[in-house]
Amino acid sequence: MRAAAAARPSAVAPFPGASGRLIHAKGIGSRVPPAFSGRVHSVYRQACNIETSGGMLVTLLSGALGNLPRGVLCSAVEAMDFRTLCSVSQTVECLGAELRISGPGVMVDLSSAAVWRCELSACLTDLSDDRTVGILFDLRTTLSEPDAQPGGFAPLILGNGESASLLDRAMQRRLERALPVLAAAIDRFDADRAVDALALLVGLGPGLTPSGDDFIVGLLAALWTRYDCRVLIAKLHEPLARLAATSHPISRQFLLDALDGEFSEPLSDMAVAFSACDREGAAMAVRRAMRIGHTSGSDALTGFLFGMEPALVRERAVIN
Amino acid sequence: MAIAFRIVPKEYRDSVSLMQLSALLSKLPGVEQASAVMATENNVALLAEAGLGVSATGATATDLLVVVRGEASALPAVIDEALKNLTRQASAVNGRTETSLAPRSIQMALAESGPAQIALISTPGEYAAAEAMKALWLGLNVMLFSDNVSEQDELRLKQAARARGLIVMGPDCGTAIVNGIPLAFANVVRRGPIGAVGASGTGLQEVTVLVDRLGSGISQAIGTGGRDLQSSIGGISMLTALRDLAGDPATKVIVLISKPPAAEVTERILSEARKAAKPVVVVFIGADPARLTGGNVHGARTLEDAAYTAVALAQGELREARHAEDSTSPTGVPRFAARQRYIRGLFSGGTFCYEAVLLLDERLRDLYSNTPARPAGALSDLWHSHHHTLIDLGDDLFTRGRPHPMIDYRLRNERIVKEAADAETAVILLDVVLGYGSHADPAAELVPAIGRARAVASAQGRNLVFVAHVCGTQGDPQGFQRQADALTHAGVMLARSNAHAARLAASIVQGRG
């Protein structure tokens, strides 16, 4: 799952001044550059996004969230609430074992962080195996449970009740237009039609990372683990990257990473469990993925389910 | 119905905040529908499709778009409330201060915390010795949780500690209870008259747990690290602890726990034990208890025997160390298939595996293990069992790159199912370690795996017997009874101790057919 070796060998220098905060990183995504400068882009309780001078987003994360390809996973106890530690526009310098944020001062010690690599693109899922199909049914059951649907796409695609919200009803109509086209396009490896459908979903829906983007990330995760979809992904790369540019910067980064086969640790763990036909492991990974964001986890899982087997979500009236 | 909206530029709120804001606004008087979404092209279009269309010219995907539909007269106040809510969220966060610098050295921690007596050090091995030496210089006893400390460094540290009247517990010391406080992997036991010193973490846990279960309690439990009783170290920490407990008025009986030490170290330890003016129970697992016994020193054969003897001595009942066989035969054992004749022990505690190997070796032939216990044969392939096989899953080979099996049950669960698929497996023998540091709910991990294993065996027309012992107390975070009930409900035969479990397993395979 993870490489144990520390990637940043140099020792941590003493922190200048007494008002700063030292945070120890326990994991670092393999796509985090070894050196960069940038600014704090956005700050949330459990995450702080840094926009590098090259336009990439690197995310400092609370330990509970799991690794990201471009994430630095901080000790949960020490990281606490990022909003109390840093604010938007503060300058950031990262060199070797240290990542420093200006202002009152935060230093992230990277020296003992284990390098994490997403293994999802190395997984292959055998859809002809009954056990895999069983795990997919488990996933559908989990997503269909009323308590598991905090909003977003999952209740619209898999739920039973009609939403009273005007926005949800409009979103459902949008899904009814997009998903049959998308399913047929994946079935025929037709990238052009797939892009037409994806264009209806990018940046669509509630949340900081809109539900449509999370759904597409999950969809791409599924396609990466299917032996027959690599060419389709390659064909989707350029047009979907263009579409991603119209969405929120944080969401955009996730979409671009997903096109490159890079996903969050919970999604990666889930794909590993699927490819190993590990029903229990998959259930644990699904539970963990469901905790991402408000609807992001369930939206991504819905996308994953759709990408694996559109028929499993087709039973719902969305497509009929 | 009218529509009002507001673009809030570059407002990055997390999804939960946006959902909460939408829900809050929707409940305000005069509001039919409210939405707070990022102003992506698709969301602007979606709002139009939903009848909430607005002319959000200039808005981009990085801006927040708040749209409200309802009675015209109510909308200005609703939009105001939305903006106030966003401001309140921001100020609630900014009002908090978090500026203190976490201690980065033992000296800083001491300055912050005031007087302390012990430093618990858990760093990568290459740094641990230096940190431990700093702690000793500051007058602190050391619990060295880290492993990968060289023997030379261990000796240097222990000599330095001895010169200062201090003790180094470790390296690789995973268990201690100091003044009633469990440290690292330790159980919640009542305080009492028995002091324990152990070169084995799970050995210490087993003795302290059984003492608690027998109604007595622990004054101190001191780990020494697994190498302490080797010739190269000479038992420095065990001797220090023994002297300390001998002088401790709260300690009435001392228990010493280890695998058999080097001969000269055994003599040194026994000589020091005989100087104590109180009973000392010695369990050097695998050593003949009769050769340890003499004067105030009582040899014990197993960890369970040591606990029983110590409690009896503390209660003023001088009696022989208990090592009687369990007389009752196991009941409710299902019929095995012809080829089912072997025990497969899957242990998370190294000492439990070691003790079980020694006990089973007295009764069974063809016994293999990855523990250094003799005369069990060494396994050529740890991933595949062979005849009777007992595996210490805490072996470095298994724990490289993953948590210890007391914390992470995945590897053991996989192995349980794998053993179940082997037509020669009759009994699966397990230890379940509770207490701080261990998995929060071991039974919840094990029971599904046991169910899968039974299903695998059953599909091939076989029955399996699971035998386990739970090393834990009712006061442990996992709750002994809760764990025991769950395992019993899953059909696991529960033994009262590791030694009992091993004997029970042996009786079952010997009684087959």
Side-chain angles (χ1 to χ4, degrees):
Chain A
M1 292 286 170
R2 334 186 144 84
R8 318 272 174 151
S10 66
V12 176
F15 193 84
S19 62
R21 181 73 191 267
L22 179 72
I23 297 173
H24 293 285
K26 61 182 183 181
I28 184 164
S30 60
R31 291 223 156 182
V32 176
F36 61 87
S37 56
R39 287 186 177 277
V40 173
H41 169 273
S42 48
V43 190
Y44 307 100
R45 188 170 64 84
Q46 294 193 88
C48 168
N49 293 300
I50 297 161
E51 185 171 20
T52 70
S53 51
M56 175 197 297
L57 284 186
V58 171
T59 307
L60 303 182
L61 292 151
S62 159
L65 295 182
N67 281 289
L68 286 176
R70 298 175 204 273
V72 174
L73 196 64
C74 299
S75 160
V77 173
E78 293 174 37
M80 297 170 76
D81 188 339
F82 281 105
R83 296 172 300 182
T84 65
L85 300 175
C86 42
S87 50
V88 173
S89 295
Q90 284 177 329
T91 58
V92 179
E93 292 290 334
C94 177
L95 184 63
E98 300 174 14
L99 187 155
R100 289 171 184 266
I101 301 176
S102 66
V106 171
M107 187 174 81
V108 183
D109 171 15
L110 307 172
S111 62
S112 56
V115 176
W116 178 78
R117 286 182 177 78
C118 174
E119 294 184 346
L120 186 142
S121 61
C123 297
L124 279 179
T125 301
D126 182 1
L127 288 172
S128 66
D129 189 318
D130 287 347
R131 293 173 299 171
T132 307
V133 177
I135 298 173
L136 284 174
F137 272 100
D138 287 349
L139 173 57
R140 195 182 76 156
T141 304
T142 303
L143 288 168
S144 304
E145 285 166 2
D147 291 348
Q149 300 171 358
F153 279 9
L156 301 178
I157 296 177
L158 299 163
N160 295 319
E162 291 292 327
S163 172
S165 154
L166 294 172
L167 203 66
D168 280 352
R169 287 208 289 271
M171 206 151 59
Q172 189 150 15
R173 288 194 294 275
R174 185 68 80 95
L175 289 170
E176 286 167 9
R177 281 166 58 201
L179 295 190
V181 176
L182 187 57
I186 291 170
D187 199 38
R188 293 168 199 153
F189 311 115
D190 182 343
D192 292 338
R193 291 200 74 199
V195 171
D196 290 343
L198 292 171
L200 295 170
L201 302 178
V202 170
L204 181 76
L208 180 71
T209 53
S211 292
D213 295 354
D214 293 323
F215 178 89
I216 296 170
V217 166
L219 172 83
L220 288 169
L223 299 186
W224 270 104
T225 68
R226 285 175 53 170
Y227 75 95
D228 54 356
C229 288
R230 296 290 166 104
V231 174
L232 176 64
I233 294 169
K235 287 181 180 171
L236 289 177
H237 203 289
E238 194 186 327
L240 188 50
R242 252 197 327 270
L243 286 173
T246 65
S247 193
H248 190 275
I250 296 171
S251 208
R252 179 163 64 226
Q253 183 77 69
F254 287 133
L255 284 168
L256 294 177
D257 283 339
L259 282 167
D260 290 338
E262 298 279 352
F263 298 86
S264 67
E265 189 174 8
L267 271 183
S268 177
D269 284 352
M270 189 181 70
V272 169
F274 264 83
S275 65
C277 295
D278 175 1
R279 192 171 186 172
E280 187 187 4
M284 282 174 59
V286 165
R287 283 198 295 273
R288 199 167 170 216
M290 294 282 279
R291 292 199 287 267
I292 300 173
H294 190 59
T295 60
S296 292
S298 63
D299 285 330
L301 291 172
T302 307
F304 185 87
L305 185 65
F306 185 87
M308 280 289 180
E309 183 43 85
L312 281 176
V313 298
R314 200 176 282 155
E315 289 176 17
R316 169 77 179 108
V318 165
I319 292 175
N320 291 334
Chain B
M1 288 288 166
I3 294 175
F5 72 99
R6 186 67 58 94
I7 299 166
V8 190
K10 296 203 182 301
E11 186 69 35
Y12 296 150
R13 292 303 162 98
D14 60 53
S15 301
V16 178
S17 303
L18 297 181
M19 296 283 183
Q20 286 172 340
L21 181 61
S22 297
L24 173 81
L25 299 182
S26 297
K27 287 176 188 162
L28 293 177
V31 175
E32 184 201 38
Q33 187 81 43
S35 181
V37 294
M38 302 312 294
T40 62
E41 288 174 21
N42 261 331
N43 274 343
V44 173
L46 185 73
L47 287 166
E49 290 168 22
L52 294 166
V54 293
S55 173
T57 313
T60 71
T62 60
D63 302 331
L64 178 63
L65 183 56
V66 180
V67 183
V68 189
R69 188 167 107 160
E71 294 166 17
S73 58
L75 297 188
V78 175
I79 290 289
D80 276 354
E81 176 56 32
L83 298 177
K84 276 184 203 159
N85 184 279
L86 289 168
T87 309
R88 271 200 300 273
Q89 284 184 16
S91 55
V93 170
N94 296 334
R96 278 182 266 165
T97 55
E98 183 68 38
T99 54
S100 65
L101 184 63
R104 300 192 320 275
S105 68
I106 297 169
Q107 204 156 8
M108 282 177 72
L110 262 183
E112 206 165 278
S113 70
Q117 293 179 321
I118 185 166
L120 198 164
I121 292 170
S122 176
T123 69
E126 57 190 306
Y127 309 114
E131 292 304 315
M133 191 58 87
K134 287 179 205 168
L136 292 172
W137 285 337
L138 291 165
L140 297 170
N141 297 291
V142 169
M143 179 173 179
L144 195 49
F145 188 81
S146 311
D147 57 3
N148 295 319
V149 175
S150 71
E151 266 186 50
Q152 294 94 315
D153 281 341
E154 180 175 350
L155 182 61
R156 197 164 53 86
L157 287 168
K158 289 186 169 177
Q159 287 171 335
R162 184 170 57 190
R164 290 165 173 78
L166 301 169
I167 187 169
V168 172
M169 298 187 274
D172 202 12
C173 175
T175 302
I177 302 172
V178 177
N179 296 334
I181 298 170
L183 298 174
F185 290 87
N187 301 86
V188 180
V189 298
R190 64 171 71 84
R191 298 200 72 179
I194 296 170
V197 188
S200 142
T202 41
L204 257 184
Q205 285 190 265
E206 176 83 330
V207 168
T208 55
V209 159
L210 290 173
V211 163
D212 179 272
R213 220 180 278 166
L214 291 165
S216 189
I218 296 296
S219 58
Q220 310 286 348
I222 299 169
T224 66
R227 281 194 310 233
D228 188 65
L229 273 67
Q230 290 180 5
S231 301
S232 54
I233 309 297
I236 294 175
S237 292
M238 185 167 275
L239 288 166
T240 302
L242 178 53
R243 289 186 198 111
D244 286 350
L245 291 178
D248 173 24
T251 301
K252 307 298 181 200
V253 178
I254 301 168
V255 183
L256 305 180
I257 304 155
S258 174
K259 293 166 189 163
E264 71 275 16
V265 180
T266 302
E267 273 318 302
R268 213 176 297 159
I269 299 286
L270 290 177
S271 167
E272 191 64 35
R274 287 186 196 109
K275 291 181 195 166
K278 53 184 77 171
V280 180
V281 180
V282 180
V283 53
F284 289 160
I285 304 163
D288 179 1
R291 299 185 68 170
L292 304 171
T293 302
N296 65 324
V297 177
H298 304 256
R301 187 150 167 273
T302 65
L303 297 165
E304 182 185 26
D305 293 346
Y308 272 79
T309 307
V311 171
L313 288 162
Q315 291 168 348
E317 304 169 24
L318 261 180
R319 67 180 199 190
E320 291 290 313
R322 176 193 165 119
H323 43 249
E325 297 290 309
D326 300 294
S327 55
T328 51
S329 299
T331 55
V333 177
R335 181 178 291 277
F336 291 123
R339 290 178 62 200
Q340 282 185 278
R341 56 182 67 240
Y342 296 120
I343 297 171
R344 301 290 156 78
L346 305 174
F347 291 87
S348 58
T351 300
F352 290 146
C353 187
Y354 187 94
E355 185 183 53
V357 164
L358 292 169
L359 293 170
L360 291 185
D361 190 65
E362 296 168 0
R363 294 174 166 220
L364 304 171
R365 298 170 66 187
D366 297 327
L367 180 60
Y368 295 86
S369 179
N370 61 336
T371 69
R374 290 292 179 264
L379 263 183
S380 54
D381 177 0
L382 296 190
W383 300 98
H384 294 95
S385 297
H386 180 61
H387 292 207
H388 296 295
T389 295
L390 304 191
I391 298 282
D392 169 15
L393 291 164
D395 188 301
D396 284 349
L397 180 81
F398 297 116
T399 56
R400 203 167 293 142
R402 67 165 78 209
H404 192 277
M406 284 182 200
I407 303 167
D408 184 342
Y409 275 65
R410 281 179 296 177
L411 183 64
R412 179 150 68 165
N413 287 346
E414 287 166 15
R415 188 68 180 249
I416 286 172
V417 177
K418 192 173 171 187
E419 298 296 352
D422 184 340
E424 295 189 327
T425 302
V427 176
I428 295 181
L429 177 59
L430 304 167
D431 63 347
V432 180
V433 182
L434 310 184
Y436 290 112
S438 292
H439 191 283
D441 190 358
E445 291 285 327
L446 277 172
V447 167
I450 289 169
R452 283 200 303 279
R454 284 196 199 284
V456 166
S458 173
Q460 297 168 17
R462 291 181 282 110
N463 293 305
L464 282 178
V465 172
F466 286 85
V467 176
H469 108 277
V470 179
C471 176
T473 68
Q474 197 51 28
D476 283 331
Q478 302 89 346
F480 172 80
Q481 201 55 52
R482 193 161 57 85
Q483 298 297 317
D485 288 348
L487 291 169
T488 308
H489 187 69
V492 176
M493 297 176 76
L494 277 193
R496 63 173 184 271
S497 68
N498 184 59
H500 183 208
R503 290 181 182 131
L504 192 57
S507 299
I508 291 168
V509 292
Q510 285 176 322
R512 64 176 298 283

